[in-house]
Amino acid sequence: MHGIIATWRMAKEGIEQSDKMLKEGKTAAQAIEVAIKAVEDFPYYKSVGYGGLPNEEQVVELDAGYMDGDILSVGAICAIQDFANPISIAKKLSEEKVNNVLVAEGAAKYAREYHFEEKEMLTDRARAFYRKKKKELAAQDELRPYDGHDTVGMVCVDNNGSVTAGTSTSGLFMKRSGRIGDSPLVGSGFYADSEVGGATATGLGEDLMKGCISYEIVRLMKEGLTPQEACEKAVNDLDAKLIAKRGKAGDLSVVAMNNKGEFGCATNIEGFSFSVATENLEPIVYLVTRKEDGHCEFEEASQEWLDNYMKTRMAPVEE
Ligand code: GLY
């Protein structure tokens, strides 16, 4: 049984490609990289790869993480600038014996050494968003860096039962230079163990990492919870704990898939969507609703919703 699941609607085209690859017998390692690269390459997604929004100094700093659940290899890069496909660099790093997590210039040096594609990642559209945000910030005193931020995270299972997980993000818009969130942190942004399954997260990295949420979901699945039960328990417990101890919880959204291709999702926000394909399910986008009791339900996105999504993403930036 194979499958791939990803945070947000933006992953749909990528998982369509990966779904075909998995059907042809390609590995979870190959399929997840192709799917995440598709998101990184699309210029209209503001929080991943090319076209990702910059930090407060108008520099795009990218983070990515990758895990091979067969042998628990991990690779990650943090705050790298001007490379087209951070996920591929993270994946390559997972093959190293040591030096698996590299930051900033060290990560760039490694990427150059292995001839990964260099590309100016700040687009004119991202510059326009930056100018607009600067104006808005001048008019308000509180920085709300989360606005418009969605990380892509994926979990993939192939016909051999190998599980991989990966993430890619430009992080919070207007973040400080050098800031990273959960996405390149194993256990927080992503986790995979082929004996169980994998999980990945999106939302406010500073809060997601407080619960090592992706590891927690895999741990709960190992204890016997279904992916849906594990996702809901991890999100609801962390949400409640953050509120109890800190007065509020940031955005927490997760997806998971076990090594049988069964999947789940959970969120503490309105408007979370995810994309998924399995042997028995053609690539599809689901919209998630969180009920008052913390249970999350999902239903297929309508064509109207899908059309509107693209229209909004590609609309001109009104400065
Ligand atoms: N979840 C991505 C970040 O906080 O950077």
Side-chain angles (χ1 to χ4, degrees):
M1 172 61 81
H2 60 250
I4 182 161
I5 188 164
T7 55
W8 306 109
R9 180 264 169 260
M10 64 180 157
K12 169 102 182 316
E13 288 73 17
I15 70 160
E16 281 168 354
Q17 292 181 48
S18 299
D19 182 52
K20 282 194 198 112
M21 292 174 70
L22 292 166
K23 285 192 167 87
E24 288 162 4
K26 298 277 193 318
T27 66
Q30 293 168 319
I32 201 168
E33 183 180 3
V34 165
I36 294 181
K37 278 172 81 168
V39 184
E40 290 177 337
D41 291 340
F42 191 69
Y44 290 95
Y45 295 143
K46 303 184 287 184
S47 45
V48 179
Y50 185 60
L53 297 182
N55 67 14
E56 62 181 8
E57 294 167 17
Q58 207 178 179
V59 175
V60 180
E61 289 186 335
L62 302 163
D63 309 323
Y66 173 81
M67 186 161 187
D68 173 342
D70 282 354
I71 48 173
L72 307 183
S73 294
V74 175
I77 52 165
C78 309
I80 198 170
Q81 294 175 26
D82 291 332
F83 279 89
N85 295 115
I87 186 61
S88 301
I89 307 168
K91 183 166 174 271
K92 175 77 186 149
L93 276 166
S94 75
E95 294 163 12
E96 304 288 347
K97 279 204 181 76
V98 291
N99 300 313
N100 299 115
V101 182
L102 295 179
V103 308
E105 190 44 39
K109 217 167 151 179
Y110 176 87
R112 262 179 235 121
E113 208 172 300
Y114 285 91
H115 307 292
F116 284 99
E117 185 191 345
E118 295 187 55
K119 181 171 174 177
E120 192 192 338
M121 298 300 270
L122 181 66
T123 61
D124 287 343
R125 189 174 170 82
R127 283 190 184 92
F129 276 114
Y130 180 84
R131 286 193 297 271
K132 186 177 175 199
K133 191 70 169 177
K134 272 286 214 197
K135 271 187 223 153
E136 284 169 15
L137 290 175
Q140 71 187 54
D141 20 274
E142 199 199 354
L143 178 67
R144 292 190 59 229
Y146 184 72
D147 286 354
H149 172 78
D150 319 320
T151 295
V152 71
M154 299 197 189
V155 175
C156 188
V157 184
D158 65 26
N159 286 332
N160 295 322
S162 294
V163 181
T164 56
T167 57
S168 184
T169 188
S170 51
L172 297 187
F173 184 23
M174 292 287 181
K175 64 190 176 184
R176 286 188 77 117
S177 168
R179 175 265 180 198
I180 61 160
D182 59 304
S183 304
L185 300 182
V186 61
S188 290
F190 63 102
Y191 197 81
D193 177 348
S194 300
E195 287 179 15
V196 185
T200 186
T202 177
L204 184 65
E206 283 76 357
D207 276 359
L208 289 161
M209 66 175 80
K210 292 181 176 86
C212 297
I213 198 159
S214 294
Y215 177 78
E216 176 64 4
I217 293 166
V218 175
R219 191 190 68 77
L220 290 166
M221 290 196 293
K222 192 173 177 184
E223 280 190 355
L225 272 66
T226 64
Q228 185 60 34
E229 289 165 348
C231 286
E232 286 179 4
K233 181 163 170 49
V235 166
N236 292 336
D237 286 0
L238 182 57
D239 184 67
K241 197 162 191 167
L242 291 170
I243 291 170
K245 291 192 178 288
R246 304 172 61 85
K248 60 180 179 184
D251 293 9
L252 315 170
S253 302
V254 298
V255 294
M257 185 173 272
N258 66 17
N259 58 8
K260 291 183 270 195
E262 296 161 346
F263 61 88
C265 66
T267 186
N268 67 351
I269 61 166
E270 279 174 25
F272 179 52
S273 61
F274 69 97
S275 308
V276 62
T278 69
E279 211 165 295
N280 305 320
L281 182 66
E282 290 302 307
I284 186 171
V285 175
Y286 284 119
L287 307 181
V288 186
T289 310
R290 186 185 201 228
K291 302 282 165 195
E292 268 182 21
D293 61 2
H295 181 60
C296 287
E297 291 177 354
F298 50 93
E299 59 174 1
E300 184 176 358
S302 65
Q303 194 53 51
E304 189 190 350
W305 186 93
L306 293 170
D307 294 344
N308 191 45
Y309 175 92
M310 262 313 167
K311 224 165 92 187
T312 325
R313 287 301 173 285
M314 297 174 77
V317 187
E318 282 174 24
E319 290 185 62

